């Protein structure tokens, strides 16, 4: 009998297939003592296992490329953390086996992360995955991860580590469902980049029996258990209609009555550029430069290395717009040479622009590299600062850009409610705004973007969040300046229409979402988008806002 479950849809498309569950986590190693003379050998085994796992994660990142590469390299650094390794060796010296020492050392570090504020607690799943891989290697058992199968399947897991998500084969893994996670988790972002339908934050997903046929709608968040023939036909029809609409849509983003809405791509480095170009991106709306800095947490990349990476992206969009976000370090992206290790709540501490203003040499080098990278190119370079709180922040960033001789527009990201509420003040110092809806939702609702239990508050359809978007867009219009959205909200086609109706002037998203957004915008007039936006803001909940906007856009 068919049952319908509802989670959070994070990646468009429909997948129908049999369930396969993620391989079980490594069992806890026995706590047995070893003779003192074996300690050195066990320490060597532990070091070899750590280095092998780190090398495997880096290799997976190289294969995956793009955003996934930076995420996996950060995980490899986690595996090689010198303090963790020192703790492992201390435990072996007093009699633990290598596998037990790794298990206990990671458990202690896990407890520290879990208690260090929600931002770092969101990295516990990544830490657990690293531990499981090291322990599995030491025990000589298969690595935890995606199950082997000769036939395509739908994957179900409690959560998916970046190492698993990054190398999913879309020809084999039709889609995935997780019990944990949220719309802006690493897995959700990577799923969209891969174009794999996905639903996250679905309680009880792990109870679905292996081999059961399910249908996953990554647009609505619905999961149909044992769908009947009529339901399967309806879903397949809807999927075919979406595919046809995508094929028929091309060119610049615009509403049906010709109101232009440039559709840009979010990229993490040169590896993401081909997909963006293929999707018809009109430029880059968010170039996340921090992935370049994650290669080595001990020191910043040289100016020459930065120039090389930046120029590859700029060259891909001749006469297009490329918006570069300067380094956003801190919180879930700690760097040993920049960010303090003992902050009680890193998400509310020194991160983003605050970090750069504390280390002006790092900012100066990055701005100089961007200036050199753009030399001689017809590209429209725009540079923006993350985590701008007020006009003082905006002025400090604009002054730094001028001092570096940067010929570009200077902008500010709106990720803190104060920036949205005082957007007009900030626009006295900078030339554009870009809304990072992921962090803006996090700070508006005090809801960590990595914690599945509060995912409803991370829903970008929340009317309070739409109010802040509207305030920013209205301020930009009053000042004759632009206001884009570069958060994951832009990748939702119906929400893209609402954002357009709120006055947003450009939309930036993962490359895989661009065709969906382009096709949906092209079906509606600007007036329809404005009515849908008004209906959504008049609602009291995210679900009601979504339903109200949908009713307007469908002409009901």
């Amino acid at each position: 009998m068919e049952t319908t479950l509802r989670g959070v849809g994070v990646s468009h498309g429909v997948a129908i297939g049999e369930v396969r569950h993620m391989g079980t986590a490594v069992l806890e190693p026995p706590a047995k003592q070893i003779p003192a003379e074996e300690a050195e050998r066990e320490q060597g085994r532990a070091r070899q296992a750590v280095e092998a796992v780190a090398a495997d994660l880096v290799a997976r990142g190289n294969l995956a490329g793009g955003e996934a590469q930076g995420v996996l390299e950060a995980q490899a650094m986690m595996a090689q953390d010198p303090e963790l390794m020192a703790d492992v060796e201390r435990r072996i010296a007093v009699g633990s086996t290598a596998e037990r020492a790794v298990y206990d050392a990671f458990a202690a570090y896990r407890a520290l992360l879990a208690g260090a504020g929600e931002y770092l607690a969101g990295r516990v799943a990544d830490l657990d995955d690293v531990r499981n891989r090291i322990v599995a290697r030491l025990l000589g058992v298969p690595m935890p991860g995606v199950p082997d199968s000769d036939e395509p399947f739908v994957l179900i897991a409690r959560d998916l580590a970046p190492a698993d998500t990054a190398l999913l084969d879309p020809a084999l893994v039709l889609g995935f469902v997780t019990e944990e996670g949220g719309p802006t988790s690493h897995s959700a972002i990577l799923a969209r980049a891969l174009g794999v339908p996905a639903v996250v934050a679905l309680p009880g997903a792990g109870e679905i029996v292996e081999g059961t046929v399910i249908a996953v709608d990554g647009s609505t968040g619905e999961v149909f258990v044992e769908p009947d023939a009529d339901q399967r036909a309806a879903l397949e029809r809807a999927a075919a209609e979406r595919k046809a609409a995508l094929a028929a849509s091309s060119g610049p983003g615009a509403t049906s009555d010709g109101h232009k809405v440039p559709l840009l791509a979010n990229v993490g480095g040169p590896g993401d550029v081909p997909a963006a170009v293929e999707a018809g991106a009109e430029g880059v709306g968010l170039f996340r430069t921090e992935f370049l800095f994650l290669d080595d947490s001990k020191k910043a990349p040289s100016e020459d290395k930065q120039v090389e990476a930046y120029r590859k992206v700029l060259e891909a969009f001749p006469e297009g717009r490329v918006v570069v976000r300067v380094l956003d370090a801190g919180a879930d992206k700690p760097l040993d040479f920049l960010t303090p290790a003992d902050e009680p709540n890193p998400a509310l501490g020194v991160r983003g622009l605050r970090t750069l203003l504390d280390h002006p040499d790092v900012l100066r080098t990055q701005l100089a590299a961007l200036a050199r990278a753009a030399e001689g190119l017809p590209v429209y370079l725009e540079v923006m600062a993350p985590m701008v709180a007020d006009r003082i922040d905006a002025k400090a960033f604009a002054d730094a850009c001028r001092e570096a001789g940067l010929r570009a527009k200077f902008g500010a990201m709106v990720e803190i409610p104060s920036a949205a509420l005082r957007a007009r003040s900030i626009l006295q110092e900078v030339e554009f705004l870009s809304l990072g809806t992921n962090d803006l939702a996090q700070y508006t609702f005090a809801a960590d973007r990595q914690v599945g239990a509060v995912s409803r508050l991370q829903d970008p359809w929340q009317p309070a969040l739409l109010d802040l978007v509207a305030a920013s867009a209205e301020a930009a219009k009053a000042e004759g300046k632009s206001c884009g959205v570069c958060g994951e909200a832009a990748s939702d086609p119906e929400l893209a229409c609402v954002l357009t109706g709120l006055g947003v002037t450009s939309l930036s998203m993962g490359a895989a979402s661009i065709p969906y957004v382009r096709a949906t915008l092209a079906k509606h007039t600007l007036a329809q988008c404005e009515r849908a936006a008004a209906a959504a803001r008049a609602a009291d909940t995210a679900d009601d806002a979504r339903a109200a906007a949908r009713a307007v856009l469908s002409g009901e």
Side-chain angles (χ1 to χ4, degrees):
M1 186 176 70
E2 180 193 318
T3 302
T4 303
L5 307 173
R6 184 181 288 276
V8 179
V10 296
S11 185
H12 304 297
V14 172
I16 302 174
E18 290 188 4
V19 164
R20 295 287 182 274
H21 286 272
M22 182 66 98
T24 55
V26 176
L27 296 175
E28 181 177 344
K32 64 181 183 182
Q33 290 291 107
I34 60 168
E37 60 269 20
E38 292 184 16
E40 190 173 340
R41 181 179 67 84
E42 288 295 286
Q43 289 171 340
R45 285 182 65 229
R47 285 192 294 270
Q48 287 174 1
V50 165
E51 291 304 319
V53 166
D56 178 61
L57 289 168
V58 170
R60 285 168 175 259
N62 290 336
L63 281 173
E67 292 185 26
Q69 185 170 3
V71 173
L72 292 175
E73 287 176 353
Q75 243 191 326
M77 285 162 43
M78 187 182 283
Q80 295 170 305
D81 184 283
E83 289 187 19
L84 255 176
M85 196 62 230
D87 190 18
V88 168
E89 293 190 346
R90 278 194 299 270
R91 292 173 187 274
I92 293 173
V94 295
S96 282
T97 62
E99 48 267 35
R100 185 69 206 193
V102 168
Y103 187 89
D104 289 340
F106 272 74
Y109 192 44
R110 187 186 200 280
L112 283 174
L113 278 187
E118 289 187 348
Y119 236 117
L120 288 180
R123 291 291 163 264
V124 165
D126 292 5
L127 185 71
D128 286 348
D129 180 60
V130 172
R131 176 204 64 201
N132 290 347
R133 290 173 184 278
I134 297 170
V135 172
R137 182 170 288 276
L138 286 165
L139 291 173
V141 300
M143 287 285 174
V146 179
D148 291 329
S149 176
D150 295 329
E151 297 295 327
F153 59 92
V154 176
L155 180 64
I156 290 184
R158 182 167 186 81
D159 202 353
L160 278 171
D164 296 313
T165 315
L167 293 181
L168 290 180
D169 179 357
L172 197 59
V173 180
L174 303 172
F176 68 76
V177 180
T178 66
E179 293 191 62
E180 298 292 331
T184 59
S185 65
H186 279 151
S187 292
I189 292 170
L190 294 176
R192 283 188 284 272
L194 287 166
V196 177
V199 171
V200 301
L202 182 71
E207 297 170 15
I208 301 174
V209 177
E210 183 99 0
T212 302
V213 173
I214 65 172
V216 178
D217 190 327
S219 300
T220 66
E222 292 173 307
V223 173
F224 304 92
V225 181
E226 295 184 336
D228 60 26
D230 289 343
Q231 181 65 62
R232 290 180 69 157
L235 285 166
E236 287 167 350
R237 239 187 345 266
E241 288 170 4
R242 288 177 199 161
K243 191 172 182 179
L246 295 184
S249 174
S250 61
T255 58
S256 62
D257 55 341
H259 175 73
K260 292 183 179 179
V261 187
L263 302 181
L264 311 170
N266 294 343
V267 304
D272 290 339
V273 166
V277 171
E278 186 179 348
E282 297 167 61
V284 171
L286 173 62
F287 180 2
R288 301 182 179 95
T289 59
E290 58 268 20
F291 291 109
L292 189 61
F293 288 75
L294 290 171
D295 283 348
D296 184 350
S297 70
K298 306 297 181 187
K299 65 180 188 296
S302 68
E303 183 177 323
D304 287 344
K305 183 176 180 180
Q306 292 187 54
V307 170
E308 182 183 1
Y310 302 153
R311 194 167 180 91
K312 285 178 183 176
V313 176
L314 297 178
E315 286 174 338
F317 296 95
E319 301 185 17
R321 178 185 177 201
V322 175
V323 184
V324 178
R325 180 177 71 190
V326 294
L327 175 63
D328 183 14
D332 65 333
K333 296 183 284 280
L335 293 170
D336 292 348
F337 69 94
L338 278 185
T339 50
D342 56 353
E343 280 191 300
N345 193 339
L348 301 180
V350 182
R351 68 166 290 199
L353 179 61
R354 299 168 188 173
T355 301
L356 293 174
L357 294 178
D358 278 355
H359 298 81
D361 54 323
V362 175
L363 177 59
R364 198 161 39 242
T365 299
Q366 184 169 25
L367 295 175
L370 285 165
R372 284 177 55 198
E375 282 177 6
L377 297 179
V379 68
Y380 295 97
L381 176 63
E382 301 184 13
V383 182
M384 62 186 180
M387 302 301 291
V388 170
D390 57 13
R391 183 172 179 174
I392 293 173
D393 279 352
K395 183 179 188 305
F397 178 66
D399 287 347
C401 289
R402 292 188 193 97
E403 287 169 13
L406 192 61
R407 294 182 179 179
K409 284 187 176 181
F410 318 140
M413 289 200 71
V414 177
E415 302 165 282
I416 303 172
S418 63
L421 296 170
R422 300 289 295 171
R424 198 158 181 182
S425 170
I426 287 171
L427 284 164
Q428 305 311 303
E429 305 293 342
V430 295
E431 298 171 81
F432 70 93
L433 300 177
S434 183
L435 287 143
T437 52
N438 305 345
D439 270 320
L440 186 57
Q442 173 169 256
Y443 291 119
T444 299
F445 297 103
D448 191 311
R449 54 194 283 189
Q450 298 294 332
V451 177
V454 293
S455 62
R456 78 170 184 86
L457 296 171
Q458 269 291 332
D459 191 327
W461 283 92
Q462 286 283 358
L465 187 65
L466 299 181
D467 288 344
L468 292 174
V469 173
S472 304
E474 288 163 8
K477 184 177 181 180
E479 293 296 326
K481 296 179 178 180
S482 63
C483 177
V485 168
C486 64
E488 292 299 316
S491 64
D492 180 329
E494 290 174 331
L495 186 51
C497 293
V498 166
L499 295 172
T500 299
L502 292 173
V504 166
T505 55
S506 65
L507 298 166
S508 190
M509 64 208 77
S513 298
I514 291 175
Y516 290 92
V517 172
R518 182 192 293 119
T520 305
L521 272 176
K523 292 192 294 188
H524 302 100
T525 64
L526 177 59
Q528 277 182 297
C529 294
E530 290 171 340
R531 289 198 300 275
R537 289 183 69 192
D540 290 321
T541 70
D543 286 343
D544 289 347
R546 187 183 285 105
R550 190 170 287 165
V552 172
L553 294 173
S554 64
E556 294 176 9

